[in-house]
Amino acid sequence: MTIPQTRIFEISSPEELHGPAAAVAALLEEYPVAAFYGPMGAGKTTLIREIARRLGVEDTVTSPTFAIVNAYSTREGRPVYHFDFYRIDSPGEAFDLGYEEYFYGGDPCLIEWPEKIETLLPENTLSVIITPHPSDPSARTVAIRKP
């Protein structure tokens, strides 16, 4: 699946996340690290849940807000990592997690609150920007940007 440098999805409900989720899932082979940007409540975890499902994860996908990283397995046994850096105070805390093994290991890494560790992200990180619409609480714009 070839997509332009930036692809935009306008969705009006969580049920319409299949389009952006399929696009991100398809790009993870080439860009295994995906950074999800958006304000609190924008739907980052909801989108990641759908992406993980498309990758073959059958586990319950929840935000790793306190654990910082959750590891899931696909039906084929491939790991998928889900990070939430909301509660860290400095990029140095990511070193304690051994972030390099995850980010440079080639397995999918789905990152919430990447702003907290921006300087540590690989150059080939896929960006997913979720913007809520102020006039419609269910609507979102999802922009997927290749590095």
Side-chain angles (χ1 to χ4, degrees):
M1 172 180 179
T2 302
I3 69 169
Q5 202 64 21
T6 299
R7 186 163 178 195
I8 307 290
F9 293 86
E10 296 292 340
I11 61 170
S12 58
S13 71
E15 291 75 32
E16 295 177 9
L17 286 175
H18 57 274
V24 172
L27 288 167
L28 287 173
E29 204 56 48
E30 186 175 356
Y31 309 103
V33 178
F36 293 78
Y37 297 89
M40 184 76 70
K44 296 179 292 291
T45 302
T46 303
L47 179 56
I48 288 172
R49 185 176 300 125
E50 180 63 18
I51 293 164
R53 187 185 69 73
R54 288 184 172 278
L55 293 173
V57 171
E58 295 176 336
D59 298 327
T60 301
V61 174
T62 59
S63 182
T65 301
F66 294 100
I68 300 179
V69 62
N70 286 344
Y72 307 109
S73 290
T74 65
R75 286 184 284 282
E76 296 78 29
R78 184 174 186 195
V80 174
Y81 300 106
H82 179 191
F83 295 85
D84 184 332
F85 288 109
Y86 181 74
R87 295 201 179 277
I88 71 164
D89 294 319
S90 74
E93 291 179 53
F95 282 97
D96 296 338
L97 293 171
Y99 83 92
E100 291 171 312
E101 289 182 45
Y102 295 107
F103 291 4
Y104 295 98
D107 293 311
C109 293
L110 310 172
I111 304 167
E112 296 188 48
W113 300 101
E115 303 89 336
K116 299 278 197 140
I117 54 136
E118 198 106 296
T119 59
L120 304 178
L121 294 174
E123 283 184 27
N124 67 336
T125 298
L126 188 67
S127 295
V128 181
I129 301 98
I130 304 170
T131 307
H133 289 262
S135 61
D136 182 350
S138 305
R140 305 280 187 270
T141 298
V142 179
I144 302 167
R145 290 190 187 142
K146 289 182 182 182

